[in-house]
PDB file of all heavy atoms in Angstrom:
ATOM      1  N   ILE A 282       1.358  28.590 -18.754  1.00  0.00           N
ATOM      2  CA  ILE A 282       2.700  28.692 -18.195  1.00  0.00           C
ATOM      3  C   ILE A 282       2.740  28.299 -16.720  1.00  0.00           C
ATOM      4  O   ILE A 282       3.745  27.808 -16.210  1.00  0.00           O
ATOM      5  CB  ILE A 282       3.243  30.127 -18.393  1.00  0.00           C
ATOM      6  CG1 ILE A 282       4.714  30.217 -18.006  1.00  0.00           C
ATOM      7  CG2 ILE A 282       2.412  31.145 -17.640  1.00  0.00           C
ATOM      8  CD1 ILE A 282       5.328  31.569 -18.301  1.00  0.00           C
ATOM      9  N   ASP A 283       1.629  28.488 -15.996  1.00  0.00           N
ATOM     10  CA  ASP A 283       1.623  28.309 -14.542  1.00  0.00           C
ATOM     11  C   ASP A 283       1.021  26.984 -14.083  1.00  0.00           C
ATOM     12  O   ASP A 283       0.585  26.857 -12.948  1.00  0.00           O
ATOM     13  CB  ASP A 283       0.872  29.470 -13.873  1.00  0.00           C
ATOM     14  CG  ASP A 283      -0.576  29.590 -14.342  1.00  0.00           C
ATOM     15  OD1 ASP A 283      -0.989  28.802 -15.227  1.00  0.00           O
ATOM     16  OD2 ASP A 283      -1.290  30.483 -13.836  1.00  0.00           O
ATOM     17  N   GLU A 284       1.034  25.970 -14.932  1.00  0.00           N
ATOM     18  CA  GLU A 284       0.450  24.680 -14.550  1.00  0.00           C
ATOM     19  C   GLU A 284       1.292  23.979 -13.484  1.00  0.00           C
ATOM     20  O   GLU A 284       0.769  23.400 -12.541  1.00  0.00           O
ATOM     21  CB  GLU A 284       0.277  23.784 -15.776  1.00  0.00           C
ATOM     22  CG  GLU A 284      -0.774  24.328 -16.738  1.00  0.00           C
ATOM     23  CD  GLU A 284      -1.015  23.411 -17.920  1.00  0.00           C
ATOM     24  OE1 GLU A 284      -0.570  22.244 -17.884  1.00  0.00           O
ATOM     25  OE2 GLU A 284      -1.668  23.860 -18.880  1.00  0.00           O
ATOM     26  N   HIS A 285       2.606  24.004 -13.650  1.00  0.00           N
ATOM     27  CA  HIS A 285       3.526  23.440 -12.654  1.00  0.00           C
ATOM     28  C   HIS A 285       4.935  23.896 -13.011  1.00  0.00           C
ATOM     29  O   HIS A 285       5.132  24.668 -13.964  1.00  0.00           O
ATOM     30  CB  HIS A 285       3.420  21.913 -12.570  1.00  0.00           C
ATOM     31  CG  HIS A 285       3.466  21.216 -13.902  1.00  0.00           C
ATOM     32  ND1 HIS A 285       4.596  21.193 -14.692  1.00  0.00           N
ATOM     33  CD2 HIS A 285       2.507  20.531 -14.588  1.00  0.00           C
ATOM     34  CE1 HIS A 285       4.347  20.517 -15.800  1.00  0.00           C
ATOM     35  NE2 HIS A 285       3.093  20.103 -15.769  1.00  0.00           N
ATOM     36  N   ARG A 286       5.902  23.444 -12.253  1.00  0.00           N
ATOM     37  CA  ARG A 286       7.267  23.937 -12.419  1.00  0.00           C
ATOM     38  C   ARG A 286       7.841  23.634 -13.809  1.00  0.00           C
ATOM     39  O   ARG A 286       8.577  24.452 -14.379  1.00  0.00           O
ATOM     40  CB  ARG A 286       8.167  23.339 -11.344  1.00  0.00           C
ATOM     41  CG  ARG A 286       9.556  23.963 -11.298  1.00  0.00           C
ATOM     42  CD  ARG A 286      10.331  23.500 -10.093  1.00  0.00           C
ATOM     43  NE  ARG A 286       9.669  23.925  -8.859  1.00  0.00           N
ATOM     44  CZ  ARG A 286      10.076  23.554  -7.647  1.00  0.00           C
ATOM     45  NH1 ARG A 286      11.110  22.744  -7.520  1.00  0.00           N
ATOM     46  NH2 ARG A 286       9.433  23.979  -6.593  1.00  0.00           N
ATOM     47  N   LEU A 287       7.508  22.496 -14.377  1.00  0.00           N
ATOM     48  CA  LEU A 287       8.093  22.136 -15.667  1.00  0.00           C
ATOM     49  C   LEU A 287       7.538  22.966 -16.812  1.00  0.00           C
ATOM     50  O   LEU A 287       8.263  23.279 -17.768  1.00  0.00           O
ATOM     51  CB  LEU A 287       7.910  20.641 -15.940  1.00  0.00           C
ATOM     52  CG  LEU A 287       8.666  19.701 -14.991  1.00  0.00           C
ATOM     53  CD1 LEU A 287       8.477  18.250 -15.401  1.00  0.00           C
ATOM     54  CD2 LEU A 287      10.155  20.043 -14.918  1.00  0.00           C
ATOM     55  N   THR A 288       6.252  23.357 -16.762  1.00  0.00           N
ATOM     56  CA  THR A 288       5.727  24.242 -17.807  1.00  0.00           C
ATOM     57  C   THR A 288       6.338  25.636 -17.661  1.00  0.00           C
ATOM     58  O   THR A 288       6.612  26.314 -18.653  1.00  0.00           O
ATOM     59  CB  THR A 288       4.196  24.328 -17.762  1.00  0.00           C
ATOM     60  OG1 THR A 288       3.770  24.696 -16.445  1.00  0.00           O
ATOM     61  CG2 THR A 288       3.566  23.010 -18.166  1.00  0.00           C
ATOM     62  N   ALA A 289       6.555  26.081 -16.415  1.00  0.00           N
ATOM     63  CA  ALA A 289       7.175  27.386 -16.197  1.00  0.00           C
ATOM     64  C   ALA A 289       8.617  27.394 -16.706  1.00  0.00           C
ATOM     65  O   ALA A 289       9.051  28.341 -17.388  1.00  0.00           O
ATOM     66  CB  ALA A 289       7.122  27.745 -14.714  1.00  0.00           C
ATOM     67  N   LEU A 290       9.377  26.342 -16.399  1.00  0.00           N
ATOM     68  CA  LEU A 290      10.754  26.246 -16.884  1.00  0.00           C
ATOM     69  C   LEU A 290      10.805  26.129 -18.403  1.00  0.00           C
ATOM     70  O   LEU A 290      11.729  26.635 -19.050  1.00  0.00           O
ATOM     71  CB  LEU A 290      11.455  25.047 -16.243  1.00  0.00           C
ATOM     72  CG  LEU A 290      11.898  25.222 -14.790  1.00  0.00           C
ATOM     73  CD1 LEU A 290      12.429  23.904 -14.235  1.00  0.00           C
ATOM     74  CD2 LEU A 290      12.950  26.316 -14.659  1.00  0.00           C
ATOM     75  N   HIS A 291       9.811  25.468 -18.975  1.00  0.00           N
ATOM     76  CA  HIS A 291       9.753  25.367 -20.432  1.00  0.00           C
ATOM     77  C   HIS A 291       9.691  26.756 -21.057  1.00  0.00           C
ATOM     78  O   HIS A 291      10.418  27.059 -22.013  1.00  0.00           O
ATOM     79  CB  HIS A 291       8.525  24.551 -20.848  1.00  0.00           C
ATOM     80  CG  HIS A 291       8.306  24.538 -22.333  1.00  0.00           C
ATOM     81  ND1 HIS A 291       8.896  23.621 -23.171  1.00  0.00           N
ATOM     82  CD2 HIS A 291       7.584  25.361 -23.138  1.00  0.00           C
ATOM     83  CE1 HIS A 291       8.550  23.873 -24.416  1.00  0.00           C
ATOM     84  NE2 HIS A 291       7.750  24.932 -24.427  1.00  0.00           N
ATOM     85  N   ALA A 292       8.811  27.613 -20.512  1.00  0.00           N
ATOM     86  CA  ALA A 292       8.693  28.970 -21.043  1.00  0.00           C
ATOM     87  C   ALA A 292       9.988  29.752 -20.847  1.00  0.00           C
ATOM     88  O   ALA A 292      10.436  30.487 -21.741  1.00  0.00           O
ATOM     89  CB  ALA A 292       7.532  29.692 -20.372  1.00  0.00           C
ATOM     90  N   ALA A 293      10.616  29.593 -19.693  1.00  0.00           N
ATOM     91  CA  ALA A 293      11.825  30.349 -19.394  1.00  0.00           C
ATOM     92  C   ALA A 293      13.004  29.954 -20.271  1.00  0.00           C
ATOM     93  O   ALA A 293      13.792  30.803 -20.701  1.00  0.00           O
ATOM     94  CB  ALA A 293      12.193  30.164 -17.922  1.00  0.00           C
ATOM     95  N   LEU A 294      13.128  28.660 -20.573  1.00  0.00           N
ATOM     96  CA  LEU A 294      14.332  28.143 -21.228  1.00  0.00           C
ATOM     97  C   LEU A 294      14.100  27.667 -22.657  1.00  0.00           C
ATOM     98  O   LEU A 294      14.965  26.997 -23.242  1.00  0.00           O
ATOM     99  CB  LEU A 294      14.914  27.002 -20.388  1.00  0.00           C
ATOM    100  CG  LEU A 294      15.333  27.381 -18.966  1.00  0.00           C
ATOM    101  CD1 LEU A 294      15.846  26.148 -18.211  1.00  0.00           C
ATOM    102  CD2 LEU A 294      16.386  28.481 -18.959  1.00  0.00           C
ATOM    103  N   LEU A 295      12.955  27.997 -23.241  1.00  0.00           N
ATOM    104  CA  LEU A 295      12.654  27.642 -24.626  1.00  0.00           C
ATOM    105  C   LEU A 295      13.880  27.848 -25.525  1.00  0.00           C
ATOM    106  O   LEU A 295      14.464  28.928 -25.556  1.00  0.00           O
ATOM    107  CB  LEU A 295      11.498  28.523 -25.116  1.00  0.00           C
ATOM    108  CG  LEU A 295      11.234  28.567 -26.623  1.00  0.00           C
ATOM    109  CD1 LEU A 295      10.572  27.267 -27.063  1.00  0.00           C
ATOM    110  CD2 LEU A 295      10.360  29.765 -26.975  1.00  0.00           C
ATOM    111  N   ASN A 296      14.271  26.788 -26.254  1.00  0.00           N
ATOM    112  CA  ASN A 296      15.446  26.918 -27.126  1.00  0.00           C
ATOM    113  C   ASN A 296      15.276  26.283 -28.505  1.00  0.00           C
ATOM    114  O   ASN A 296      16.247  26.193 -29.273  1.00  0.00           O
ATOM    115  CB  ASN A 296      16.703  26.367 -26.445  1.00  0.00           C
ATOM    116  CG  ASN A 296      16.636  24.872 -26.166  1.00  0.00           C
ATOM    117  OD1 ASN A 296      15.699  24.191 -26.585  1.00  0.00           O
ATOM    118  ND2 ASN A 296      17.624  24.353 -25.444  1.00  0.00           N
ATOM    119  N   GLY A 297      14.065  25.850 -28.840  1.00  0.00           N
ATOM    120  CA  GLY A 297      13.857  25.267 -30.161  1.00  0.00           C
ATOM    121  C   GLY A 297      12.385  25.003 -30.421  1.00  0.00           C
ATOM    122  O   GLY A 297      11.531  25.253 -29.566  1.00  0.00           O
ATOM    123  N   GLY A 298      12.114  24.486 -31.615  1.00  0.00           N
ATOM    124  CA  GLY A 298      10.735  24.129 -31.938  1.00  0.00           C
ATOM    125  C   GLY A 298      10.314  24.619 -33.309  1.00  0.00           C
ATOM    126  O   GLY A 298      11.131  25.084 -34.118  1.00  0.00           O
ATOM    127  N   VAL A 299       9.003  24.530 -33.552  1.00  0.00           N
ATOM    128  CA  VAL A 299       8.448  24.775 -34.886  1.00  0.00           C
ATOM    129  C   VAL A 299       7.111  25.497 -34.761  1.00  0.00           C
ATOM    130  O   VAL A 299       6.362  25.274 -33.796  1.00  0.00           O
ATOM    131  CB  VAL A 299       8.253  23.428 -35.635  1.00  0.00           C
ATOM    132  CG1 VAL A 299       7.316  23.562 -36.816  1.00  0.00           C
ATOM    133  CG2 VAL A 299       9.594  22.896 -36.123  1.00  0.00           C
ATOM    134  N   PHE A 300       6.812  26.338 -35.746  1.00  0.00           N
ATOM    135  CA  PHE A 300       5.506  26.992 -35.847  1.00  0.00           C
ATOM    136  C   PHE A 300       4.877  26.623 -37.181  1.00  0.00           C
ATOM    137  O   PHE A 300       5.497  26.787 -38.242  1.00  0.00           O
ATOM    138  CB  PHE A 300       5.665  28.507 -35.733  1.00  0.00           C
ATOM    139  CG  PHE A 300       4.374  29.276 -35.876  1.00  0.00           C
ATOM    140  CD1 PHE A 300       3.270  28.981 -35.084  1.00  0.00           C
ATOM    141  CD2 PHE A 300       4.269  30.309 -36.801  1.00  0.00           C
ATOM    142  CE1 PHE A 300       2.084  29.707 -35.205  1.00  0.00           C
ATOM    143  CE2 PHE A 300       3.093  31.042 -36.927  1.00  0.00           C
ATOM    144  CZ  PHE A 300       2.004  30.733 -36.124  1.00  0.00           C
ATOM    145  N   VAL A 301       3.650  26.107 -37.115  1.00  0.00           N
ATOM    146  CA  VAL A 301       2.877  25.767 -38.309  1.00  0.00           C
ATOM    147  C   VAL A 301       1.563  26.537 -38.258  1.00  0.00           C
ATOM    148  O   VAL A 301       0.845  26.482 -37.251  1.00  0.00           O
ATOM    149  CB  VAL A 301       2.577  24.249 -38.384  1.00  0.00           C
ATOM    150  CG1 VAL A 301       1.681  23.943 -39.586  1.00  0.00           C
ATOM    151  CG2 VAL A 301       3.860  23.444 -38.456  1.00  0.00           C
ATOM    152  N   TYR A 302       1.272  27.248 -39.330  1.00  0.00           N
ATOM    153  CA  TYR A 302       0.020  28.007 -39.404  1.00  0.00           C
ATOM    154  C   TYR A 302      -0.630  27.753 -40.759  1.00  0.00           C
ATOM    155  O   TYR A 302       0.006  27.918 -41.815  1.00  0.00           O
ATOM    156  CB  TYR A 302       0.279  29.501 -39.228  1.00  0.00           C
ATOM    157  CG  TYR A 302      -0.965  30.347 -39.365  1.00  0.00           C
ATOM    158  CD1 TYR A 302      -1.876  30.471 -38.311  1.00  0.00           C
ATOM    159  CD2 TYR A 302      -1.240  31.012 -40.554  1.00  0.00           C
ATOM    160  CE1 TYR A 302      -3.022  31.233 -38.447  1.00  0.00           C
ATOM    161  CE2 TYR A 302      -2.383  31.783 -40.699  1.00  0.00           C
ATOM    162  CZ  TYR A 302      -3.271  31.890 -39.633  1.00  0.00           C
ATOM    163  OH  TYR A 302      -4.407  32.645 -39.766  1.00  0.00           O
ATOM    164  N   VAL A 303      -1.910  27.342 -40.712  1.00  0.00           N
ATOM    165  CA  VAL A 303      -2.665  27.089 -41.936  1.00  0.00           C
ATOM    166  C   VAL A 303      -3.871  28.024 -41.950  1.00  0.00           C
ATOM    167  O   VAL A 303      -4.730  27.955 -41.064  1.00  0.00           O
ATOM    168  CB  VAL A 303      -3.141  25.623 -42.017  1.00  0.00           C
ATOM    169  CG1 VAL A 303      -3.782  25.348 -43.372  1.00  0.00           C
ATOM    170  CG2 VAL A 303      -1.969  24.663 -41.791  1.00  0.00           C
TER     171      VAL A 303
END
Side-chain angles (χ1 to χ4, degrees):
I282 188 175
D283 59 357
E284 293 183 13
H285 49 68
R286 189 171 297 174
L287 294 183
T288 54
L290 284 173
H291 173 87
L294 299 178
L295 166 74
N296 64 7
V299 163
F300 178 54
V301 176
Y302 177 80
V303 187

